[in-house]
Amino acid sequence: MTVTRRDHYGVLLSYAAGDAPLKPMTDLDRGLAEQDPDFDSMIIEKAREIEARRNGGDPHADMRSAISKDLAAGADAIDDARAPDMVVHARVPRAGGNLAGAGNVGKTTLVLNEYVHITGGGKLYGDDVIQKGVCILVTAEDGAAYPRYLLKRVLEDGVRCGRLPETVAQNAKTAVKIVSWSRSKYGPIAIADRDGNVFRAPGFDVMIELFGPLQPSAVTLDPLVLFSPGERFGNDSDAFVASMLHEAALELGCFFQVLDHVSQSVARTGIVDQHAARGGTAKTDNARLARQLVRFKPDSELSGGRPLNISDEEIASGRILQLHWTKFNYAPLPPFAWLRRTGYWIEHLKSASIEQQEETARRENELRDAEDESAVIEKLQKLNGARLSKKALEDSGVIRPDGVRLARGRLRGALERLISANKITLAQRPKDEIRGADKHYLQVHAPL
């Protein structure tokens, strides 16, 4: 198979897959060119010359052919059109994507958990895995050893907590591939010249060439900043890389994503949206899927459908996460996923239904009301014969067992309920105790 790509100078290279690239320009040529003030124009001219020779004199032959084919398409092309393929139904497409999150939130661990489900089949986030198969993580941070250790812990903790069958865990050990990428040795997957023009790097072609025979279901590059030309190139670079990843996803027939960090302000304020990823907006504008992983906080506005089986302790320890779909070109945005981390295993939690949420709120209100009423009764029983009117009780206040002073409105509500239930009565004061309109006092009729 012959592969044709541009090198980082924009020069077209033609080579047989698996062989070393044939360089159209010698190192001496390049060295001289870089010293020439017309360097860029020389390179472009050289590239066109090589391309023209390869295509029998027309430097745009491939482009003409592809566009002409699209222009000639008729009604059959519309009739035969179909929706984009999915790796996970309504959740993960065969496309380029971006997963953003603050540092140390668990992005790599989450990806490894997702890979265990995709390699094993079944369901992921409650939806069917359609394309079961090999998954590849390419890491440029710690080498292959540490992610392999993470995967080992994911599998051990999943089996230990009874959520992962032994057979699926064993399969993941060979079906999840972890590849080390050294930026200092292999460079980025795209390179920008001094004018900011971005080109696909030969290293990315080697990557795609080696991944192709595995027919992967998912590929992840971790993290984007160590694979891209650099954040100084902004949206030009981000758009090019996002487009390049999507093309690779279509070529390999898989989900191809990058892991990305969020900006400092997003990390501090907890913003969740399509453009939370650090840097230019084009990285998600040109991705087909954008997701964001966050830790759930008790004061978060995004608490809808909170599962009933999570505790305040788990929230405080940072074990409860949310995975948000902030952009999805090929399907309606699915609801975010509630996640619980047990060691390295990440469990998808079922969101509470509206009815369950309403029932939980009702029970919490009933419990709070009962505690309020108990605090009122307890205070009246400790008065040692003193007779308080409703106003006097409101003025003196009631302290709950948790040390919180009852608000006047809640105190009045508790009194009304207690009087209605005949647990407190308004007793007539003796004549010698009546002062103005204060003719009644609160008397505990029956203890709770």
Side-chain angles (χ1 to χ4, degrees), residues 416-437:
E416 289 176 4
R417 291 191 299 274
L418 289 168
I419 292 171
S420 177
N422 202 33
K423 293 177 181 178
I424 288 178
T425 57
L426 289 174
Q428 181 75 35
R429 289 185 183 278
K431 289 185 179 180
D432 60 344
E433 292 183 9
I434 295 175
R435 300 289 185 273

Side-chain angles (χ1 to χ4, degrees), residues 151-402:
L151 177 59
K152 174 186 175 182
R153 295 299 306 273
V154 167
L155 300 177
E156 289 176 348
D157 291 342
V159 171
R160 186 179 296 115
C161 70
R163 300 291 182 179
L164 181 64
E166 289 270 11
T167 53
V168 177
Q170 196 63 33
N171 174 68
K173 292 178 182 179
T174 55
V176 176
K177 308 294 184 182
I178 297 174
V179 177
S180 175
W181 183 272
S182 170
R183 175 160 181 135
S184 63
K185 293 179 181 178
Y186 310 147
I189 60 173
I191 300 176
D193 66 18
R194 58 179 139 189
D195 293 325
N197 301 304
V198 187
F199 303 100
R200 180 166 167 156
F204 189 65
D205 298 325
V206 174
M207 185 189 295
I208 301 305
E209 173 193 328
L210 296 174
F211 291 175
L214 297 177
Q215 298 181 321
S217 294
V219 176
T220 299
L221 305 185
D222 179 18
L224 173 60
V225 70
L226 293 179
F227 288 92
S228 69
E231 294 183 346
R232 65 191 182 280
F233 295 106
N235 276 321
D236 289 348
S237 167
D238 289 334
F240 185 89
V241 171
S243 176
M244 193 170 73
L245 295 178
H246 184 57
E247 289 174 1
L250 298 179
E251 183 177 340
L252 294 174
C254 71
F255 175 52
F256 205 127
Q257 72 174 345
V258 290
L259 300 193
D260 205 359
H261 294 96
V262 296
S263 68
Q264 294 180 41
S265 62
V266 168
R268 289 171 182 147
T269 60
I271 295 170
V272 174
D273 70 24
Q274 174 181 330
H275 297 123
R278 188 175 71 197
T281 60
K283 62 177 62 178
T284 46
D285 287 340
N286 293 98
R288 303 297 89 189
L289 176 71
R291 300 185 295 169
Q292 186 177 351
L293 181 65
V294 298
R295 282 194 181 90
F296 176 67
K297 297 180 181 178
D299 59 350
S300 172
E301 297 178 359
L302 301 168
S303 58
R306 174 176 166 174
L308 305 179
N309 59 339
I310 61 176
S311 66
D312 293 338
E313 217 174 22
E314 290 173 323
I315 295 172
S317 65
R319 292 176 53 199
I320 304 302
L321 309 171
Q322 291 178 339
L323 179 61
H324 294 265
W325 278 251
T326 56
K327 177 190 177 184
F328 199 175
N329 284 67
Y330 298 154
L333 278 179
F336 65 80
W338 286 93
L339 308 172
R340 173 165 54 205
R341 182 164 175 167
T342 303
Y344 290 83
W345 178 254
I346 298 178
E347 171 191 4
H348 175 226
L349 302 174
K350 186 177 181 181
S351 297
S353 67
I354 294 177
E355 292 78 12
Q356 289 173 320
Q357 293 178 62
E358 290 175 347
E359 176 63 17
T360 299
R362 184 186 66 78
R363 290 179 181 177
E364 289 176 349
N365 288 335
E366 286 181 351
L367 178 61
R368 186 197 66 178
D369 289 348
E371 290 173 345
D372 291 352
E373 293 165 13
S374 178
V376 171
I377 292 285
E378 185 177 356
K379 172 154 185 174
L380 292 176
Q381 288 177 331
K382 292 180 178 180
L383 290 177
N384 296 322
R387 297 177 174 130
L388 291 183
S389 65
K390 290 173 66 174
K391 185 177 184 308
L393 179 65
E394 290 176 13
D395 291 343
S396 63
V398 173
I399 306 298
R400 287 168 46 99
D402 57 10

